[in-house]
Amino acid sequence: MSTILFDAPIYGPVRSRRLGLSLGVNLAPADGKICSFNCIYCECGLNEDHRTASKPPTAAEISTALDARLRQLAASGQQLDDITLAGNGEPTLNPEFPQVVDVVLRLRDQLAPNARVTVISNGTAAGRPAVHAALMRVDANLFKLDTVDQAFIEMLDQPQGAYDVARQVELAASFGGHVIIQTMFLTGSVRSRSVDNTGEKYVGPWLQALARIRPEGATIYTVARETPVAGLAKAAPEVLDGIAARVRALDIPCTVGY
């Protein structure tokens, strides 16, 4: 299967379904993947297929590369919608993540003042005080919560270490609304086990979690590319629309990626 690994600290800009014209910041090594999840739908592939001993980029290295790219884009007249911290895995695992946020916000203010700064995270490091504080500073704090069913998370997201869904809900709530919940809805089966999380068994408790978190928004989406594990399939547009309507009924804005 094809995977997408970003071979530099800065990539794009690319057109994102959710974020518009987005310039990516890869906080993982250029030759592999580092993540505290091992999602069976991840566009970067499975962790075991992309092991690396390389070090992630430093804040200084990201500063140099981002400064040059933003100046290049400004000279060409290209207007960014977003600067997105993501890349080959989980960005908050970079040991200099708070310093990277400082760098990106400073350069955004100087060279691309109309762009948002977004972090796409699985939330596993959100309990670390420095990471939490940095996430409070960005414009959009996207926090993954694919269901609130522990067994389903273990199958779909495959956390690499201890993970408690109830604790993650409370971590998301700890941002006081400065969080956007991102959820993958999909269908299909893997090794004869259903991976359909679009039914009431999963959607109802997930909505209850949203009511507890009170995020500033939710973004729901489905598989868009080839996945590293076979058997996964898209959730139907009408199903996603129905879930989104229930989110909006809670007075929480919701965007949908089909």
PDB file of all heavy atoms in Angstrom, residues 113-134:
ATOM      1  N   PRO A 113       0.340  36.708   9.008  1.00  0.00           N
ATOM      2  CA  PRO A 113      -0.538  37.047  10.133  1.00  0.00           C
ATOM      3  C   PRO A 113      -1.985  36.601   9.977  1.00  0.00           C
ATOM      4  O   PRO A 113      -2.719  36.559  10.979  1.00  0.00           O
ATOM      5  CB  PRO A 113      -0.438  38.579  10.200  1.00  0.00           C
ATOM      6  CG  PRO A 113       0.013  39.001   8.837  1.00  0.00           C
ATOM      7  CD  PRO A 113       0.909  37.911   8.347  1.00  0.00           C
ATOM      8  N   ASN A 114      -2.409  36.267   8.765  1.00  0.00           N
ATOM      9  CA  ASN A 114      -3.785  35.833   8.575  1.00  0.00           C
ATOM     10  C   ASN A 114      -3.976  34.320   8.717  1.00  0.00           C
ATOM     11  O   ASN A 114      -5.109  33.824   8.629  1.00  0.00           O
ATOM     12  CB  ASN A 114      -4.293  36.272   7.197  1.00  0.00           C
ATOM     13  CG  ASN A 114      -4.388  37.780   7.079  1.00  0.00           C
ATOM     14  OD1 ASN A 114      -4.749  38.462   8.037  1.00  0.00           O
ATOM     15  ND2 ASN A 114      -4.048  38.316   5.922  1.00  0.00           N
ATOM     16  N   ALA A 115      -2.892  33.588   8.914  1.00  0.00           N
ATOM     17  CA  ALA A 115      -2.975  32.129   9.009  1.00  0.00           C
ATOM     18  C   ALA A 115      -3.234  31.701  10.445  1.00  0.00           C
ATOM     19  O   ALA A 115      -2.718  32.287  11.396  1.00  0.00           O
ATOM     20  CB  ALA A 115      -1.679  31.494   8.505  1.00  0.00           C
ATOM     21  N   ARG A 116      -4.066  30.677  10.584  1.00  0.00           N
ATOM     22  CA  ARG A 116      -4.213  30.024  11.887  1.00  0.00           C
ATOM     23  C   ARG A 116      -2.995  29.140  12.151  1.00  0.00           C
ATOM     24  O   ARG A 116      -2.329  28.694  11.231  1.00  0.00           O
ATOM     25  CB  ARG A 116      -5.449  29.108  11.912  1.00  0.00           C
ATOM     26  CG  ARG A 116      -6.791  29.787  11.728  1.00  0.00           C
ATOM     27  CD  ARG A 116      -7.904  28.745  11.784  1.00  0.00           C
ATOM     28  NE  ARG A 116      -7.690  27.690  10.793  1.00  0.00           N
ATOM     29  CZ  ARG A 116      -8.188  27.702   9.566  1.00  0.00           C
ATOM     30  NH1 ARG A 116      -8.915  28.718   9.155  1.00  0.00           N
ATOM     31  NH2 ARG A 116      -7.947  26.705   8.735  1.00  0.00           N
ATOM     32  N   VAL A 117      -2.764  28.847  13.419  1.00  0.00           N
ATOM     33  CA  VAL A 117      -1.798  27.819  13.800  1.00  0.00           C
ATOM     34  C   VAL A 117      -2.584  26.682  14.453  1.00  0.00           C
ATOM     35  O   VAL A 117      -3.296  26.893  15.444  1.00  0.00           O
ATOM     36  CB  VAL A 117      -0.728  28.353  14.760  1.00  0.00           C
ATOM     37  CG1 VAL A 117       0.150  27.206  15.268  1.00  0.00           C
ATOM     38  CG2 VAL A 117       0.136  29.397  14.051  1.00  0.00           C
ATOM     39  N   THR A 118      -2.460  25.493  13.870  1.00  0.00           N
ATOM     40  CA  THR A 118      -3.232  24.332  14.291  1.00  0.00           C
ATOM     41  C   THR A 118      -2.295  23.214  14.725  1.00  0.00           C
ATOM     42  O   THR A 118      -1.248  23.006  14.100  1.00  0.00           O
ATOM     43  CB  THR A 118      -4.121  23.835  13.131  1.00  0.00           C
ATOM     44  OG1 THR A 118      -5.099  24.839  12.839  1.00  0.00           O
ATOM     45  CG2 THR A 118      -4.817  22.529  13.458  1.00  0.00           C
ATOM     46  N   VAL A 119      -2.664  22.496  15.768  1.00  0.00           N
ATOM     47  CA  VAL A 119      -1.977  21.266  16.146  1.00  0.00           C
ATOM     48  C   VAL A 119      -2.971  20.118  16.025  1.00  0.00           C
ATOM     49  O   VAL A 119      -4.077  20.178  16.562  1.00  0.00           O
ATOM     50  CB  VAL A 119      -1.427  21.320  17.581  1.00  0.00           C
ATOM     51  CG1 VAL A 119      -0.816  19.969  17.969  1.00  0.00           C
ATOM     52  CG2 VAL A 119      -0.379  22.425  17.714  1.00  0.00           C
ATOM     53  N   ILE A 120      -2.567  19.073  15.288  1.00  0.00           N
ATOM     54  CA  ILE A 120      -3.374  17.859  15.184  1.00  0.00           C
ATOM     55  C   ILE A 120      -2.720  16.806  16.063  1.00  0.00           C
ATOM     56  O   ILE A 120      -1.620  16.336  15.776  1.00  0.00           O
ATOM     57  CB  ILE A 120      -3.476  17.383  13.733  1.00  0.00           C
ATOM     58  CG1 ILE A 120      -4.124  18.467  12.864  1.00  0.00           C
ATOM     59  CG2 ILE A 120      -4.274  16.088  13.644  1.00  0.00           C
ATOM     60  CD1 ILE A 120      -4.213  18.108  11.387  1.00  0.00           C
ATOM     61  N   SER A 121      -3.403  16.445  17.147  1.00  0.00           N
ATOM     62  CA  SER A 121      -2.808  15.607  18.178  1.00  0.00           C
ATOM     63  C   SER A 121      -3.743  14.466  18.555  1.00  0.00           C
ATOM     64  O   SER A 121      -4.965  14.584  18.431  1.00  0.00           O
ATOM     65  CB  SER A 121      -2.520  16.469  19.417  1.00  0.00           C
ATOM     66  OG  SER A 121      -2.231  15.682  20.541  1.00  0.00           O
ATOM     67  N   ASN A 122      -3.160  13.380  19.069  1.00  0.00           N
ATOM     68  CA  ASN A 122      -4.003  12.316  19.611  1.00  0.00           C
ATOM     69  C   ASN A 122      -4.262  12.506  21.108  1.00  0.00           C
ATOM     70  O   ASN A 122      -4.955  11.706  21.728  1.00  0.00           O
ATOM     71  CB  ASN A 122      -3.418  10.929  19.335  1.00  0.00           C
ATOM     72  CG  ASN A 122      -2.053  10.712  19.962  1.00  0.00           C
ATOM     73  OD1 ASN A 122      -1.703  11.297  20.975  1.00  0.00           O
ATOM     74  ND2 ASN A 122      -1.254   9.838  19.338  1.00  0.00           N
ATOM     75  N   GLY A 123      -3.698  13.543  21.684  1.00  0.00           N
ATOM     76  CA  GLY A 123      -3.998  13.893  23.065  1.00  0.00           C
ATOM     77  C   GLY A 123      -3.250  13.101  24.119  1.00  0.00           C
ATOM     78  O   GLY A 123      -3.425  13.362  25.316  1.00  0.00           O
ATOM     79  N   THR A 124      -2.403  12.169  23.718  1.00  0.00           N
ATOM     80  CA  THR A 124      -1.759  11.314  24.718  1.00  0.00           C
ATOM     81  C   THR A 124      -0.761  12.059  25.593  1.00  0.00           C
ATOM     82  O   THR A 124      -0.455  11.609  26.697  1.00  0.00           O
ATOM     83  CB  THR A 124      -1.061  10.117  24.051  1.00  0.00           C
ATOM     84  OG1 THR A 124      -0.157  10.594  23.048  1.00  0.00           O
ATOM     85  CG2 THR A 124      -2.076   9.176  23.413  1.00  0.00           C
ATOM     86  N   ALA A 125      -0.226  13.174  25.122  1.00  0.00           N
ATOM     87  CA  ALA A 125       0.726  13.949  25.919  1.00  0.00           C
ATOM     88  C   ALA A 125       0.095  15.205  26.507  1.00  0.00           C
ATOM     89  O   ALA A 125       0.780  16.025  27.104  1.00  0.00           O
ATOM     90  CB  ALA A 125       1.941  14.339  25.074  1.00  0.00           C
ATOM     91  N   ALA A 126      -1.225  15.345  26.365  1.00  0.00           N
ATOM     92  CA  ALA A 126      -1.887  16.583  26.786  1.00  0.00           C
ATOM     93  C   ALA A 126      -1.872  16.783  28.290  1.00  0.00           C
ATOM     94  O   ALA A 126      -2.109  17.893  28.763  1.00  0.00           O
ATOM     95  CB  ALA A 126      -3.328  16.602  26.275  1.00  0.00           C
ATOM     96  N   GLY A 127      -1.581  15.727  29.051  1.00  0.00           N
ATOM     97  CA  GLY A 127      -1.500  15.878  30.493  1.00  0.00           C
ATOM     98  C   GLY A 127      -0.190  16.462  30.985  1.00  0.00           C
ATOM     99  O   GLY A 127      -0.079  16.821  32.153  1.00  0.00           O
ATOM    100  N   ARG A 128       0.802  16.570  30.113  1.00  0.00           N
ATOM    101  CA  ARG A 128       2.072  17.187  30.506  1.00  0.00           C
ATOM    102  C   ARG A 128       1.875  18.704  30.574  1.00  0.00           C
ATOM    103  O   ARG A 128       1.432  19.313  29.594  1.00  0.00           O
ATOM    104  CB  ARG A 128       3.161  16.838  29.502  1.00  0.00           C
ATOM    105  CG  ARG A 128       3.434  15.338  29.380  1.00  0.00           C
ATOM    106  CD  ARG A 128       4.435  15.062  28.288  1.00  0.00           C
ATOM    107  NE  ARG A 128       4.615  13.617  28.074  1.00  0.00           N
ATOM    108  CZ  ARG A 128       5.306  13.102  27.085  1.00  0.00           C
ATOM    109  NH1 ARG A 128       5.924  13.903  26.203  1.00  0.00           N
ATOM    110  NH2 ARG A 128       5.406  11.791  26.953  1.00  0.00           N
ATOM    111  N   PRO A 129       2.204  19.337  31.679  1.00  0.00           N
ATOM    112  CA  PRO A 129       1.899  20.767  31.836  1.00  0.00           C
ATOM    113  C   PRO A 129       2.428  21.643  30.710  1.00  0.00           C
ATOM    114  O   PRO A 129       1.711  22.536  30.229  1.00  0.00           O
ATOM    115  CB  PRO A 129       2.551  21.116  33.175  1.00  0.00           C
ATOM    116  CG  PRO A 129       2.495  19.833  33.948  1.00  0.00           C
ATOM    117  CD  PRO A 129       2.738  18.756  32.940  1.00  0.00           C
ATOM    118  N   ALA A 130       3.667  21.413  30.253  1.00  0.00           N
ATOM    119  CA  ALA A 130       4.229  22.268  29.204  1.00  0.00           C
ATOM    120  C   ALA A 130       3.510  22.061  27.871  1.00  0.00           C
ATOM    121  O   ALA A 130       3.299  23.013  27.105  1.00  0.00           O
ATOM    122  CB  ALA A 130       5.725  21.999  29.042  1.00  0.00           C
ATOM    123  N   VAL A 131       3.134  20.815  27.578  1.00  0.00           N
ATOM    124  CA  VAL A 131       2.389  20.533  26.352  1.00  0.00           C
ATOM    125  C   VAL A 131       0.996  21.145  26.423  1.00  0.00           C
ATOM    126  O   VAL A 131       0.523  21.774  25.480  1.00  0.00           O
ATOM    127  CB  VAL A 131       2.303  19.006  26.100  1.00  0.00           C
ATOM    128  CG1 VAL A 131       1.340  18.691  24.967  1.00  0.00           C
ATOM    129  CG2 VAL A 131       3.686  18.447  25.806  1.00  0.00           C
ATOM    130  N   HIS A 132       0.338  20.980  27.555  1.00  0.00           N
ATOM    131  CA  HIS A 132      -1.003  21.545  27.744  1.00  0.00           C
ATOM    132  C   HIS A 132      -0.971  23.056  27.556  1.00  0.00           C
ATOM    133  O   HIS A 132      -1.819  23.635  26.855  1.00  0.00           O
ATOM    134  CB  HIS A 132      -1.520  21.176  29.137  1.00  0.00           C
ATOM    135  CG  HIS A 132      -2.983  21.417  29.348  1.00  0.00           C
ATOM    136  ND1 HIS A 132      -3.512  22.680  29.535  1.00  0.00           N
ATOM    137  CD2 HIS A 132      -4.035  20.555  29.393  1.00  0.00           C
ATOM    138  CE1 HIS A 132      -4.810  22.586  29.695  1.00  0.00           C
ATOM    139  NE2 HIS A 132      -5.160  21.307  29.611  1.00  0.00           N
ATOM    140  N   ALA A 133       0.006  23.699  28.162  1.00  0.00           N
ATOM    141  CA  ALA A 133       0.109  25.156  28.046  1.00  0.00           C
ATOM    142  C   ALA A 133       0.352  25.588  26.608  1.00  0.00           C
ATOM    143  O   ALA A 133      -0.212  26.594  26.145  1.00  0.00           O
ATOM    144  CB  ALA A 133       1.231  25.669  28.951  1.00  0.00           C
ATOM    145  N   ALA A 134       1.191  24.840  25.886  1.00  0.00           N
ATOM    146  CA  ALA A 134       1.457  25.175  24.487  1.00  0.00           C
ATOM    147  C   ALA A 134       0.197  25.004  23.641  1.00  0.00           C
ATOM    148  O   ALA A 134      -0.093  25.833  22.757  1.00  0.00           O
ATOM    149  CB  ALA A 134       2.583  24.300  23.948  1.00  0.00           C
TER     150      ALA A 134
END
